[in-house]
Amino acid sequence: MRCFGKNYQRVLCSATNICSACAVFFLMTIIFFYKSNIYGLTYNSNMLLGNVSNRYLCPYFRGGLGNHMFMYSSLYGIAKIKNMTLVINEKDTINTVFKLNVLILKNAKYICEQAVLVNEKRPCAYDLETFNFDPSKPVKLKGYLQSWKYFKHVEKELRKQFIFKEEVNQKAQEVIEKYTKMFTSNKTNSEKLKIIGVHIRRGDYLTAHNIKYGYNVAPKAYLQKAFDYFRSKYKNCLFLVFTGTSKEDIKWRDDNVHGKDVLKVAANERNVDMCALTKCDHTIITVGSFGWWAGWLSPGKTIYFKDIAQTNSSLRKDFSADMTDFFPDDWIGF
């Protein structure tokens, strides 16, 4: 039927066209969800069907939570620049800790196993060559990608995503309240209390392999200087000192970190400790990506140990010349 002529014919044509369009849309929807079931795709409330294409960016997760957060954040930033869709596995560690705004797959192999593998050049430096690849096909980017410059343009989005689950948040708040109450129970200081979270990591950095590669660990003198910095700024400080479950790290902390304004926090679940550190007013970190993210997520100043790599070592070559690709501009290095 041609769509011209008398009015009733026009109305009938219009109705027919609408029905045809609805049928096509319905059929496409069925096909889409059929494919989604095959590929194991799930979407959060912010994902749109229009985002689904062959422009996929796949991660290569390895290491602990801090490493995963760097990889996710950098890939999220690169995906935005390259107009790609970042995809992760439903059971990836980072997806079990945070509620993320990306495409989640029940099984990544259908999309990512045939992806073009791209390797980073320098793990702790911002390198434009790292994402100088063709985005029209699926890409798996392998690397630690430890530079805040990869994701500085999506910082606000990431901060909204890196919110700990309520159960973890509640446990972390209980940790802060427990030690704050312990500290203030016999105090009469009227000055507002400033809580500084301190994270110490040493153990695995002291292995023969890591020392040969170029790792340094923060000495007692560094921590003393960092403590004194905040003591000079605020009249009422509480330093909550966190470390992992390593017996060596716990012993070193107990032997070397002291003060009337210092409390040593018993080790909790990894997620709880990081969440608790982010609830402190300011942060002091030593080495490692776990502490780095505690500093990035915390609301105040972050003091970092700047001599993390031995001069002329293999590790030092992983960083930019001034290390500002790794340490944000507003952090303070001692």
Side-chain angles (χ1 to χ4, degrees):
M1 180 181 293
R2 298 173 63 187
C3 291
F4 54 85
K6 296 182 179 180
N7 290 336
Y8 74 89
Q9 290 177 315
R10 292 182 181 138
V11 171
L12 186 58
C13 275
S14 297
T16 302
N17 288 342
I18 291 172
C19 289
S20 298
C22 289
V24 171
F25 177 77
F26 181 70
L27 180 60
M28 291 178 66
T29 302
I30 291 175
I31 293 172
F32 171 77
F33 283 107
Y34 173 72
K35 288 185 176 180
S36 294
N37 187 54
I38 292 175
Y39 290 109
L41 305 181
T42 58
Y43 300 86
N44 64 30
S45 60
N46 294 318
M47 291 300 297
L48 301 175
L49 301 188
N51 288 343
V52 182
S53 68
N54 287 324
R55 301 171 69 93
Y56 294 116
L57 185 58
C58 303
Y60 187 95
F61 286 126
R62 51 184 169 167
L65 178 60
N67 286 329
H68 285 219
M69 292 173 73
F70 262 120
M71 294 168 197
Y72 175 84
S73 299
S74 294
L75 289 175
Y76 189 85
I78 292 170
K80 289 286 186 179
I81 292 173
K82 305 286 282 188
N83 191 27
M84 300 177 76
T85 299
L86 176 59
V87 294
I88 65 172
N89 269 305
E90 187 176 43
K91 294 182 180 180
D92 281 337
T93 297
I94 196 165
N95 190 50
T96 66
V97 178
F98 305 109
K99 185 177 180 180
L100 306 175
N101 183 25
V102 293
L103 183 59
I104 311 297
L105 298 95
K106 292 179 182 177
N107 192 334
K109 70 178 182 180
Y110 295 105
I111 287 180
C112 293
E113 79 173 357
Q114 300 301 323
V116 177
L117 183 63
V118 175
N119 290 284
E120 71 177 354
K121 301 296 190 300
R122 301 170 73 189
C124 304
Y126 180 68
D127 187 357
L128 293 174
E129 288 298 313
T130 297
F131 54 96
N132 183 26
F133 54 80
D134 179 7
S136 65
K137 298 178 181 179
V139 171
K140 178 179 284 188
L141 186 46
K142 183 179 180 181
Y144 288 100
L145 302 169
Q146 296 190 357
S147 173
W148 59 274
K149 293 182 179 180
Y150 284 122
F151 50 86
K152 64 179 180 180
H153 57 293
V154 291
E155 178 178 339
K156 291 182 179 179
E157 295 175 50
L158 288 171
R159 289 188 182 279
K160 290 179 181 178
Q161 294 182 57
F162 286 162
I163 302 296
F164 291 90
K165 294 184 176 180
E166 184 54 37
E167 180 184 356
V168 171
N169 185 65
Q170 185 175 343
K171 289 181 180 179
Q173 187 60 39
E174 290 172 358
V175 170
I176 297 297
E177 291 175 358
K178 171 186 174 181
Y179 287 93
T180 300
K181 184 177 180 180
M182 189 185 303
F183 180 72
T184 58
S185 59
N186 296 317
K187 304 290 182 182
T188 58
N189 195 328
S190 60
E191 294 286 339
K192 183 178 179 180
L193 182 65
K194 291 293 182 180
I195 302 176
I196 296 92
V198 184
H199 183 257
I200 294 175
R201 180 178 176 181
R202 295 173 59 84
D204 57 326
Y205 279 55
L206 292 172
T207 63
H209 170 77
N210 283 334
I211 291 174
K212 183 178 180 180
Y213 192 72
Y215 284 96
N216 282 328
V217 294
K220 179 179 178 179
Y222 158 75
L223 289 171
Q224 190 62 51
K225 187 174 182 180
F227 283 18
D228 289 344
Y229 171 85
F230 285 112
R231 286 168 179 151
S232 69
K233 295 285 185 181
Y234 308 109
K235 295 182 179 180
N236 192 17
C237 293
L238 167 60
F239 296 91
L240 296 182
V241 188
F242 295 76
T243 190
T245 57
S246 161
K247 291 181 180 179
E248 293 79 6
D249 283 1
I250 294 172
K251 185 179 187 306
W252 189 91
R253 179 190 64 177
D254 292 345
D255 290 344
N256 292 277
V257 182
H258 306 287
K260 294 180 180 180
D261 52 3
V262 173
L263 289 178
K264 299 157 189 177
V265 180
N268 302 282
E269 298 171 19
R270 170 197 60 189
N271 303 348
V272 173
D273 275 351
M274 182 180 282
C275 184
L277 281 162
T278 68
K279 291 179 177 293
C280 298
D281 297 305
H282 305 286
T283 315
I284 297 171
I285 63 175
T286 52
V287 294
S289 57
F290 185 95
W292 193 100
W293 280 103
W296 192 85
L297 289 171
S298 68
K301 295 180 186 294
T302 295
I303 305 295
Y304 67 89
F305 176 54
K306 64 182 181 180
D307 295 324
I308 58 175
Q310 299 170 30
T311 303
N312 298 323
S313 65
S314 297
L315 177 63
R316 184 63 183 84
K317 295 173 184 177
D318 290 340
F319 293 84
S320 58
D322 56 5
M323 287 193 170
T324 56
D325 285 3
F326 183 74
F327 294 114
D329 295 334
D330 57 343
W331 289 13
I332 302 170
F334 286 159

